[in-house]
Amino acid sequence: MKSIMEIAPEVEKALNNSEPVVALESTIISHGMPYPRNLETAILLENEIRLHGATPATIAVIGGKIKIGLNQKELEYMAKAKNILKLSRMDLPYAVSKSLDGATTVAATMICAKMAGIKVFATGGVGGVHRGVNETFDISADLFELSKTSVIVVSAGVKSILDIPKTLELLETLGVTVIGYGTYDFPSFYSRSSGSKLYMKADTPEEVANLYKIKIKMEIKSGMLVANPISKVHEISNNVIDKAIDKALEMAKKSKISGKAMTPFLLSKIVEQIPRALESNVHLAKSNTALAAEISKKL
Ligand code: PSU
Ligand code: MN
C-alpha cells in the first residue's frame, strides 16, 4: 500500500492511537468552488474538525500518490492548479498508474478513506440521479459507492440540480441507510427540505455511531448517508434556488455540457446568479464537518 498511498504524519498518529479522524474530499476544492474561496473553505473545514477534537484528513491524488491528509502547500496546489482530474471509482487507479493529479469525488474519497481506515467523511452534497436521466443515463457513481463501501458520509442532502425523488429511490434499491439528522425531511442542500420524506432519523451523534456499529456487526457492508439540513440562518428557499437551477440547466444544454463536466458547470452557474449561495455552501459544509467530528468521537 505504501507505494501508492501516503498518510500525513498527523493522521497516521491519530489512526494508530484509535483517535477520531474525519475525511474530507478535494473535488469541492478543485471543481466545486472558485479560488480563493475554495482554499479558505478547505482550511476552515479542517480547523472546524480540530476544534471538535478530531483530526482532519483531506484526500487527493497528487503525482499519482493517494494522499490521506494534505499540508498547506498541497491544499493550495489543489485550489489553484488547472488540469486536476475529477476522480471517481473508475479512474482513481488510472490516475495513480499514470502519476497524475486528481481531486477525489465522494465516491473516490470513500474508497481512499476506507483504505486508510477512516470511518467518517464530511462533504457538502453528494452526487445523484440527474434530471433528464431517461435520456442521458447520468447517474453519479457516488450512489453505487454508498452501496458498497462502509463509510459514514455526512452531507446536506443533494442539490436540486438532481432529481431528488429518483435519487432517493435508487439509494433505497441499493440498500443505502439514508438517515435524517434531526429531521424526516430530506434536505436539498441550500434548503432544509426537499419535499421528499425520510423515515429514518437520528438526533445525536451517538445514535449515528450506534447504527453504524450495528451495521458492521451484521456485516452489512454498504455506506451510510447522514442528511444534515443547513441551518435556518443560511437557508435559501427552494423557489429562489430552483429558478437559478433551471437557468443553469438551460445553459448546460446550450453549451452541450455532459458527463463529468455537468456537476461543476451547474454549481458555478448557480453561484454566478446567486452569489450568497457560496456563503451558504461554506456554512453547510462547516456544519457537516462539525457533526462528522462528533460522530467520529463516538466510534
Ligand atoms: N454536489 C455539490 N457539490 C460538489 C459535488 C456535488 O453540491 O462539489 C461534487 C462531489 O465531489 C460529488 C461530485 O462527489 O461532485 C459528483 O459528481 P458527478 O455528478 O459527476 O458524479
Ligand atoms: Mn455523471
Side-chain angles (χ1 to χ4, degrees):
M1 207 71 109
K2 277 235 156 88
S3 64
I4 59 166
M5 190 166 78
E6 220 173 85
I7 305 185
E10 179 194 14
V11 179
E12 185 147 51
K13 193 170 148 227
L15 288 170
N16 286 341
N17 296 335
S18 299
E19 285 163 10
V21 177
V22 175
L24 294 167
E25 61 154 304
S26 45
T27 295
I28 189 171
I29 305 174
S30 301
H31 303 284
M33 285 184 190
Y35 181 83
R37 211 58 222 277
N38 56 353
L39 178 60
E40 290 160 17
T41 304
I43 294 166
L44 179 100
L45 298 185
E46 290 209 344
N47 286 340
E48 183 71 6
I49 291 170
R50 288 198 183 94
L51 221 67
H52 282 262
T55 301
T58 305
I59 293 176
V61 177
I62 300 180
K65 275 261 196 274
I66 297 173
K67 300 265 186 178
I68 311 288
L70 302 185
N71 60 34
Q72 176 81 21
K73 250 180 131 178
E74 291 164 335
L75 284 174
E76 266 178 50
Y77 180 69
M78 294 307 290
K80 275 189 200 163
K82 307 285 169 219
N83 300 325
I84 301 246
L85 299 172
K86 178 183 151 203
L87 302 174
S88 191
R89 172 175 275 261
M90 69 164 185
D91 45 6
L92 177 62
Y94 177 79
V96 173
S97 76
K98 293 266 193 180
S99 306
L100 301 172
D101 299 328
T104 51
T105 58
V106 169
T109 306
M110 287 178 78
I111 295 171
C112 299
K114 185 85 204 303
M115 277 167 62
I118 302 172
K119 303 183 184 103
V120 189
F121 159 31
T123 184
V126 296
V129 180
H130 279 263
R131 297 197 201 173
V133 63
N134 299 12
E135 279 188 12
T136 61
F137 257 59
D138 193 353
I139 302 175
S140 175
D142 289 354
L143 300 186
F144 300 90
E145 203 56 52
L146 279 162
S147 80
K148 55 192 165 212
T149 302
S150 62
V151 169
I152 301 173
V153 181
V154 182
S155 89
V158 302
K159 280 204 178 83
S160 37
I161 56 173
L162 302 171
D163 186 323
I164 294 179
K166 285 196 181 73
T167 299
L168 287 172
E169 283 293 345
L170 187 51
L171 283 166
E172 180 191 336
T173 304
L174 292 169
V176 179
T177 304
V178 181
I179 186 143
Y181 194 72
T183 182
Y184 286 114
D185 280 322
F186 188 68
S188 58
F189 202 86
Y190 298 115
S191 311
R192 291 174 60 82
S193 170
S194 62
S196 288
K197 293 286 169 207
L198 294 173
Y199 66 94
M200 293 182 278
K201 85 169 165 107
D203 293 312
T204 61
E206 199 157 25
E207 273 186 55
V208 178
N210 282 342
L211 173 57
Y212 175 81
K213 285 180 197 162
I214 288 169
K215 230 167 53 64
I216 295 293
K217 222 175 244 170
M218 295 172 75
E219 294 185 27
I220 294 176
K221 294 200 171 73
S222 52
M224 248 170 79
L225 183 61
V226 179
N228 182 32
I230 186 170
S231 72
K232 285 202 177 92
V233 197
H234 298 106
E235 184 176 28
I236 304 175
S237 83
N238 281 316
N239 282 346
V240 174
I241 277 295
D242 284 348
K243 266 187 211 134
I245 286 174
D246 286 343
K247 241 198 191 146
L249 285 165
E250 229 172 76
M251 285 189 249
K253 206 168 190 179
K254 262 196 202 134
S255 310
K256 297 205 163 62
I257 305 289
S258 67
K260 274 177 185 284
M262 183 57 102
T263 300
F265 179 88
L266 295 175
L267 298 181
S268 70
K269 293 300 166 199
I270 292 170
V271 170
E272 270 175 28
Q273 296 174 75
I274 310 176
R276 81 186 159 106
L278 189 53
E279 262 4 88
S280 295
N281 195 345
V282 172
H283 278 281
L284 65 85
K286 188 174 160 208
S287 148
N288 293 344
T289 54
L291 176 56
E294 291 303 325
I295 294 168
S296 73
K297 287 195 282 184
K298 299 291 177 194
L299 287 170

